[in-house]
Amino acid sequence: MKLILASNSPRRRQLLTDLGLAYEIRLRDVDEDFPPHLRRAAVAEYLAAHKAAAYAADLAPDELVITADTIVCLGDDVLNKPADAAEATAMLTRLQGRAHDVFTGVCLRAGDGRQVVFSDQTTVHFRPLSPAEIAFYIAHYQPFDKAGAYGAQDWVGMVGVTRLEGSYFNVMGLPVHRVWAELARLGALPAGLPGA
């Protein structure tokens, strides 16, 4: 099947490339609001499926679109992408010195109507960060395109993340082990790759 990645994330692009997958990028603006009764993993799965629905009518029978949404949860509070430096500071101040959960929801939707939606969870432990460290990170890395206002692969992840329980790649934005397994199950891996 022809794979389509519906994401502007350079991290997701790199992860799929590193898996050895060929894909095309297709982008659409999709509203990222979610019903207020949803919690944690259900939010990420809802948003991934909602994004995939925006592509359904245009998929050829031999195409499969990959959509994903990553959220950071502190308890039941969802920390999405910060609007500005003040909001990023507030998020990182809440996260520092504590553990939180990262959920990435993924939807694989084929042009023939098949669809699978799943999510993966990683618990991230942060050491206490000083206000100066938080300010330095925001000023130099401007994490406004990242849920929870940080990237584990960035400076703050290197100096602040003490432990992960679960997939590191999930925190980067795509649980590639699950994506690979589901693509194999759907018969969507390109010829020449193991599992195809």
Side-chain angles (χ1 to χ4, degrees):
M1 298 189 91
K2 180 179 180 182
L3 300 181
I4 297 151
L5 177 62
S7 175
N8 203 26
S9 165
R11 294 161 296 281
R12 290 189 184 119
R13 293 178 186 189
Q14 188 61 52
L15 290 172
L16 284 186
T17 299
D18 290 347
L19 277 180
L21 298 175
Y23 58 89
E24 173 188 320
I25 299 289
R26 288 189 199 164
L27 300 176
R28 295 218 170 105
D29 285 329
V30 179
D31 174 44
E32 295 192 14
D33 290 333
F34 56 88
H37 68 278
L38 295 179
R39 296 286 179 265
R40 298 169 61 82
V43 172
E45 291 182 12
Y46 171 87
L47 289 171
H50 179 65
K51 290 176 181 179
Y55 293 83
D58 301 329
L59 289 175
D62 66 339
E63 292 181 326
L64 182 143
V65 66
I66 302 169
T67 57
D69 196 88
T70 300
I71 62 168
V72 169
C73 291
L74 190 58
D76 279 339
D77 290 347
V78 175
L79 307 182
N80 278 323
K81 299 170 186 172
D84 53 31
E87 193 171 3
T89 300
M91 286 183 185
L92 287 171
T93 300
R94 288 184 69 194
L95 293 174
Q96 60 88 30
R98 303 175 71 178
H100 62 275
D101 295 311
V102 176
F103 296 92
T104 298
V106 178
C107 182
L108 307 177
R109 185 167 187 147
D112 61 11
R114 292 178 297 157
Q115 175 173 294
V116 61
V117 180
F118 57 91
S119 61
D120 202 52
Q121 174 184 350
T122 304
T123 301
V124 180
H125 297 261
F126 257 106
R127 72 165 176 81
L129 299 170
S130 70
E133 287 171 322
I134 292 171
F136 174 86
Y137 174 64
I138 293 168
H140 288 85
Y141 291 86
Q142 302 188 0
F144 308 122
D145 64 335
K146 296 176 176 67
Y150 80 95
Q153 70 282 359
D154 291 346
W155 181 86
V156 78
M158 290 187 272
V159 303
V161 172
T162 61
R163 184 162 51 102
L164 293 174
E165 297 165 34
S167 167
Y168 171 73
F169 301 110
N170 184 58
V171 181
M172 284 180 64
L174 201 63
V176 288
H177 66 290
R178 293 284 307 275
V179 171
W180 179 271
E182 293 296 340
L183 287 173
R185 193 177 64 76
L186 291 168
L189 289 175
L193 290 177

